[in-house]
Amino acid sequence: AQSVSQHNHHVILSEAASLELGCNYSYGGTVNLFWYVQYPGQHLQLLLKYFSGDPLVKGIKGFEAEFIKSKFSFNLRKPSVQWSDTAEYFCAVSTTDSWGKFQFGAGTQVVVTP
Amino acid sequence: EAQVTQNPRYLITVTGKKLTVTCSQNMNHEYMSWYRQDPGLGLRQIYYSMNVEVTDKGDVPEGYKVSRKEKRNFPLILESPSPNQTSLYFCASSLSRTGGSYEQYFGPGTRLTVT
């Protein structure tokens, strides 16, 4: 069975700093990859997704992620964070041979200080 | 407004008392799913449904039941709740029958406490 690991559980950084959140998955086949964000008191919402094609994907709010197949990684980046990026971030994976099943990482709580 | 709704939003109950958490979507989505969120564990999938009358287990189905009798609704049933089912529950839906190719839209969550 596939699994997803997120390297950091808590990240604290100042406004304008760069953010990178790590995500690794364990599965040898074709995967679909997602990053979701949960702002305080709000629903989870999709930041970006990768299915195929260009391994560098851009999402909403200035976020991007890079799929590196050889490293089984899908790291999330933002060059300059804002206070409003304070949220919990989840990496998720689904596979083409198990449609409908999703694995989420444990999440990374990001706090951006003014 | 396109949305996924869950009811109730908060529930405190006692061990063994059957309960149902409802989930409804108004987007004509084929795929629906239930997750539980626990600190340090992220979201774990309980059950999912590819379409009406088609359901399958996720990673943590024990102690839960689901049904999909109509497209818009996907209730989660706890026949005999136990304290280890205290959690935050999310329902989600997605357009595609395959589920994996399209983003999931999440409901607001139901916080369940079983004493």
Side-chain angles (χ1 to χ4, degrees):
Chain A
Q2 64 266 28
S3 64
V4 180
S5 63
Q6 292 183 235
H7 310 308
N8 311 95
H9 294 297
H10 269 94
V11 172
I12 301 174
L13 57 165
S14 302
E15 278 189 313
S18 63
L19 172 70
E20 180 160 1
L21 302 181
C23 172
N24 284 90
Y25 63 92
S26 63
Y27 180 70
T30 303
V31 293
N32 301 312
L33 299 158
F34 307 82
W35 275 98
Y36 282 85
V37 61
Q38 187 176 29
Y39 298 105
Q42 295 190 24
H43 307 188
L44 274 87
Q45 55 186 282
L46 183 71
L47 270 180
L48 47 79
K49 59 191 176 190
Y50 172 81
F51 299 144
S52 63
D54 188 344
L56 184 63
V57 293
K58 296 192 183 299
I60 60 171
K61 306 190 181 189
F63 286 90
E64 65 178 30
E66 185 175 13
F67 170 51
I68 303 179
K69 190 174 182 178
S70 60
K71 295 185 177 180
F72 299 91
S73 70
F74 189 55
N75 293 351
L76 181 71
R77 297 193 290 254
K78 185 170 184 178
S80 176
V81 295
Q82 301 171 315
W83 176 80
S84 57
D85 292 321
T86 294
E88 190 158 20
Y89 293 80
F90 295 94
C91 181
V93 176
S94 70
T95 65
T96 54
D97 67 353
S98 190
W99 293 112
K101 292 197 77 170
F102 282 82
Q103 267 76 39
F104 280 75
T108 299
Q109 183 66 51
V110 173
V111 175
V112 180
T113 60
Chain B
E1 180 191 354
Q3 61 183 347
V4 179
T5 56
Q6 295 179 226
N7 282 292
R9 294 289 312 281
Y10 302 91
L11 179 60
I12 301 174
T13 189
V14 296
T15 298
K17 186 176 180 182
K18 181 180 178 179
L19 66 91
T20 299
V21 183
T22 64
C23 173
S24 183
Q25 50 91 7
N26 62 1
M27 296 171 278
N28 201 35
H29 284 173
E30 291 183 331
Y31 175 90
M32 298 184 75
S33 184
W34 275 103
Y35 298 87
R36 59 178 289 173
Q37 183 181 13
D38 301 290
L41 297 176
L43 279 79
R44 292 179 292 168
Q45 193 175 35
I46 303 170
Y47 271 95
Y48 62 96
S49 169
M50 295 294 211
N51 212 328
V52 175
E53 303 292 0
V54 180
T55 63
D56 209 344
K57 297 177 181 178
D59 287 333
V60 288
E62 296 77 20
Y64 304 94
K65 285 175 58 177
V66 292
S67 68
R68 187 93 182 272
K69 292 184 169 54
E70 48 190 343
K71 203 171 189 178
R72 64 181 293 128
N73 296 322
F74 190 44
L76 180 70
I77 303 156
L78 284 72
E79 295 269 3
S80 182
S82 62
N84 65 12
Q85 293 178 297
T86 292
S87 187
L88 179 59
Y89 291 86
F90 288 101
C91 180
S93 72
S94 177
L95 176 63
S96 169
R97 166 188 298 262
T98 62
S101 298
Y102 291 85
E103 71 174 284
Q104 293 184 76
Y105 293 84
F106 283 82
T110 295
R111 189 165 292 282
L112 172 66
T113 302
V114 184
T115 61

